[in-house]
Amino acid sequence: MKNIVYVYLLFNIIILSSCQPDNKTRSGKLKVVTTTGMIYDAVLNIAGDSVAAQALMGPGVDPHLYKATQGDLKKLQAADLIFYNGLHLEGKMGEVFEKLGRIKPVSAVTENIPDSLFRASELYPGTFDPHIWFDVSLWKEAVKNVHKQLVASDVANRDYYDTNATTYLKQLDSLHKAVNESIAQIPETQRMLITAHDAFGYFGDAYSIEVKGLQGISTLSEPGLKDVADLVNLIVENRIKAVFIETSVSKKAINAVVEGCKLKGHTVVIGGSLYSDAMGPFGQFEGTYIGMVHSNVETIVNALK
Ligand code: ZN
């Protein structure tokens, strides 16, 4: 009789425990899905392999135009926790996040950051420029949001996440300082960063380099002939040595600027390719946030100094 009671109790415990709401996969890991690689990298730095993380947008992908595929929707549905940038960066995915947000934690890494720290969008009045990752000190606020949300969803690993977050935030402090020192090496008259679209506004504000984009803040609008002509005049007048292309934006517009300068007798070169809205390949240094920032700064300084 005792044995029967014991088996009955054990059976109930198994049934009960398998019915417990649990945020984790069968392997015990929280399933985290992010939109951009930059956010994915923040998750990895804080959670390591204690979560099963994946990014929807790989190298060279333009988040402004990105639409969720059927495969993405499956990943999002299976996720325990979702991170996206917000501030309309993922302009075509708003509805998906809104729906999923009713049933699971869907967190914008830009939420709860004071509006006063954001740049106003020149293209869409009343909204903010979403490219906050190019001011390393501002991106730290996004990393803190990622940390907070990971702890909320997986409190058992809190100490581990806290330790990693502290270490990573210190690394970002060093990175911020290093970028400042590197940009200061460019002669003041050459401190102008010209690219295809305005991804670098925060970068310019944070590190004292003037930024001119052809395309406005989003990549949705094509630059007009007047935009090209204005930029050509600016480059010729200031004898700017180099302009830059971006890995997630078409080269066409910036080539038109180079040609326009040539017609006016000024040679401007393409100073290299910058990572703007997507990082380099996963597994390489440029495929990490810190590596991406370093690579950009090196490209900019080498071409303009
Ligand atoms: Zn962009």
Side-chain angles (χ1 to χ4, degrees):
M1 184 61 190
K2 251 186 187 169
N3 272 346
I4 291 170
V5 170
Y6 177 71
V7 168
Y8 174 72
L9 282 175
L10 190 68
F11 182 71
N12 270 346
I13 288 167
I14 290 167
I15 294 284
L16 280 174
S17 58
S18 63
C19 294
Q20 289 287 319
D22 193 342
N23 273 342
K24 297 181 178 181
T25 61
R26 277 194 201 122
S27 66
K29 290 184 180 181
L30 195 75
K31 282 190 271 182
V32 182
V33 173
T34 76
T35 53
T36 67
M38 290 72 84
I39 305 171
Y40 168 77
D41 187 65
V43 171
L44 285 194
N45 273 286
I46 294 164
D49 59 6
S50 68
V51 299
Q54 50 188 337
L56 299 182
M57 302 172 189
V61 171
D62 179 350
H64 301 283
L65 305 175
Y66 193 83
K67 283 184 192 148
T69 64
Q70 281 303 317
D72 291 339
L73 292 175
K74 273 188 195 156
K75 287 176 194 165
L76 290 165
Q77 268 152 10
D80 302 310
L81 173 58
I82 297 164
F83 288 112
Y84 67 107
N85 188 82
L87 303 181
H88 306 287
L89 178 75
E90 303 93 340
K92 313 242 172 202
M93 292 181 74
E95 205 180 316
V96 175
F97 295 138
E98 201 190 308
K99 276 185 188 155
L100 288 166
R102 291 182 207 136
I103 49 171
K104 62 178 79 182
V106 177
S107 173
V109 299
T110 48
E111 70 194 7
N112 300 322
I113 297 176
D115 285 356
S116 59
L117 296 180
F118 295 137
R119 303 179 79 239
S121 161
E122 286 158 26
L123 215 59
Y124 305 104
T127 67
F128 295 113
D129 177 350
H131 304 88
I132 68 158
W133 54 94
F134 280 126
D135 173 348
V136 179
S137 65
L138 187 53
W139 186 241
K140 277 176 62 188
E141 300 307 311
V143 170
K144 286 179 198 169
N145 276 335
V146 169
H147 169 231
K148 207 163 93 187
Q149 196 60 55
L150 280 167
V151 169
S153 295
D154 185 14
V155 79
N157 277 317
R158 172 173 209 142
D159 289 348
Y160 180 63
Y161 296 158
D162 287 355
T163 308
N164 289 345
T166 305
T167 307
Y168 188 53
L169 289 169
K170 272 189 200 148
Q171 288 174 11
L172 296 184
D173 282 334
S174 307
L175 179 67
H176 184 68
K177 201 165 157 261
V179 176
N180 252 321
E181 287 166 4
S182 298
I183 296 299
Q185 291 174 21
I186 303 170
E188 253 176 75
T189 52
Q190 284 292 317
R191 238 175 264 167
M192 194 182 284
L193 178 61
I194 296 164
T195 59
H197 92 297
D198 275 342
F200 291 88
Y202 288 101
F203 185 85
D205 287 353
Y207 306 110
S208 309
I209 179 166
E210 200 179 333
V211 175
K212 296 281 173 192
L214 254 182
Q215 224 169 354
I217 286 180
S218 162
T219 49
L220 289 171
S221 58
E222 284 280 320
L225 285 176
K226 188 177 178 303
D227 298 324
V228 173
D230 287 349
L231 207 49
V232 165
N233 287 336
L234 184 83
I235 293 167
V236 174
E237 273 163 30
N238 290 285
R239 321 287 316 155
I240 297 298
K241 288 198 272 188
V243 293
F244 301 88
I245 49 178
E246 293 171 37
T247 56
S248 55
V249 182
S250 144
K251 279 185 207 173
K252 210 171 79 186
I254 217 77
N255 281 336
V257 171
V258 172
E259 284 306 308
C261 289
K262 204 188 262 175
L263 288 175
K264 293 203 162 197
H266 175 69
T267 304
V268 64
V269 299
I270 290 181
S273 178
L274 301 178
Y275 297 104
S276 55
D277 290 357
M279 307 194 302
F282 296 129
Q284 291 184 13
F285 187 48
E286 290 82 1
T288 66
Y289 171 72
I290 290 179
M292 164 205 206
V293 173
H294 269 302
S295 165
N296 279 348
V297 170
E298 204 180 297
T299 304
I300 294 166
V301 173
N302 284 342
L304 294 179
K305 79 172 178 194

